[in-house]
Amino acid sequence: MHRMNDIRATIVAAQKRCDAAAEHVHVVAVTKYVDTSTTEQVLDAGIEHIGENRVEEGVDKWEALGSRGTWHFIGNLQSKKVKQMIDKFQYIHSLDRLSLAKEINKRAPEDKRIKCFVQVNVSGEGSKSGLSPEETIEFIEKLGSYPSIEVVGLMTMAPFVEDPETVRPYFRRLRELRDDIVSKEWTHAPCHELSMGMSNDYVVAVEEGATYIRVGSALVGKN
Ligand SMILES: *Cc1c(COP(=O)(O)O)cnc(C)c1O
């Protein structure tokens, strides 16, 4: 996990360079490419945040290691699988429809609010899930009727491109949308966080205000 030091240094440099950068940037180590023992090494290296995108694999790893770390569910989530994962993951990054919100609300442990990011498809790419920016505010307003859901922020996946500079406008748009929602002061949606940036584009995402970056291949490699 020596690469974590380089990533941290890169983040600090980006924070110094840009006024829009957040004061605290959390690195979610995306461990979907690696097995349980490598995931354990990630935790041993002192990395707190673990990201998984599949319910079965994520739950298996959590069963082995879940007494440690903070677990983030970052993939598409089928409603029928919410029951299996809801008590294991502290954050869900992919809330994108009311039917899923309803299921999360139903399955949430009593007296617990589930921290959710609303996923926005800022680029409009057909292959990506998420709401359009235009739909997002109304969607979040409606989430107020599900008392077990707390909207902690917005999440996006940018298109994969050679030059990450190309996706800067998408990250900026997500930040502006976040600022709009924060200004509503909805109690169910404090919405301060921005989950954006992956291995190839996290520097630009940090410059544009990311508070959670989701880094897989640059940190743990693909094997
Ligand atoms: C796989 C994945 C990542 C990490 O991707 P890398 O390019 O390997 O850093 C981040 N977010 C989501 C939603 C993913 O599925």
Side-chain angles (χ1 to χ4, degrees):
M1 291 331 125
H2 59 280
R3 282 182 273 185
M4 189 62 172
N5 294 334
D6 299 339
I7 293 171
R8 289 248 176 257
T10 308
I11 292 171
V12 170
Q15 285 170 308
K16 288 202 178 120
R17 226 173 15 245
C18 289
D19 289 344
E23 199 176 332
H24 296 289
V25 179
H26 305 276
V27 180
V28 178
V30 176
T31 48
K32 66 185 185 190
Y33 309 111
V34 298
D35 61 11
T36 300
S37 79
T38 307
T39 306
E40 186 169 22
Q41 288 169 27
V42 172
L43 289 162
D44 288 344
I47 296 170
E48 163 73 16
H49 298 281
I50 300 293
E52 285 284 330
N53 72 332
R54 285 175 192 275
V55 170
E56 284 79 6
E57 281 90 339
V59 166
D60 281 353
K61 285 180 187 163
W62 183 89
E63 270 159 4
L65 307 168
S67 57
R68 303 161 61 193
T70 300
W71 293 67
H72 297 252
F73 191 82
I74 62 170
N76 290 334
L77 182 54
Q78 289 176 274
S79 295
K80 65 176 182 197
K81 295 190 177 170
V82 168
K83 190 164 53 147
Q84 286 164 263
M85 54 71 75
I86 189 106
D87 56 342
K88 302 176 179 72
F89 288 85
Q90 281 94 338
Y91 290 87
I92 296 173
H93 287 240
S94 47
L95 177 54
D96 61 355
R97 56 197 192 276
L98 287 177
S99 56
L100 179 59
K102 191 175 170 191
E103 184 66 13
I104 293 169
N105 190 61
K106 180 173 160 193
R107 302 291 179 186
E110 217 174 316
D111 298 330
K112 196 172 164 205
R113 288 174 86 204
I114 307 298
K115 293 178 163 57
C116 297
F117 288 84
V118 168
Q119 186 169 352
V120 185
N121 181 1
V122 190
S123 68
E125 246 194 330
S127 60
K128 296 265 189 304
S129 36
L131 296 128
S132 70
E134 295 73 26
E135 300 167 310
T136 300
I137 292 184
E138 198 186 329
F139 176 78
I140 292 178
E141 186 169 23
K142 286 184 182 151
L143 292 176
S145 23
Y146 301 101
S148 296
I149 290 183
E150 178 181 6
V151 180
V152 296
L154 302 180
M155 179 274 213
T156 199
M157 281 178 86
F160 185 83
V161 290
E162 280 294 312
D163 177 7
E165 218 28 74
T166 319
V167 296
R168 184 182 297 278
Y170 302 131
F171 293 145
R172 187 170 294 165
R173 180 83 207 274
L174 198 73
R175 168 163 51 84
E176 289 165 359
L177 192 55
R178 189 270 318 262
D179 293 345
D180 275 358
I181 296 158
V182 167
S183 74
K184 309 270 183 204
E185 300 186 349
W186 287 325
T187 51
H188 71 285
C191 205
H192 294 298
E193 312 297 343
L194 285 175
S195 169
M196 59 188 194
M198 312 190 351
S199 293
N200 66 313
D201 58 17
Y202 75 87
V203 178
V204 176
V206 169
E207 288 174 354
E208 292 299 332
T211 63
Y212 286 85
I213 61 172
R214 309 177 309 270
V215 184
S217 41
L219 188 60
V220 291
K222 297 188 196 194
N223 59 4

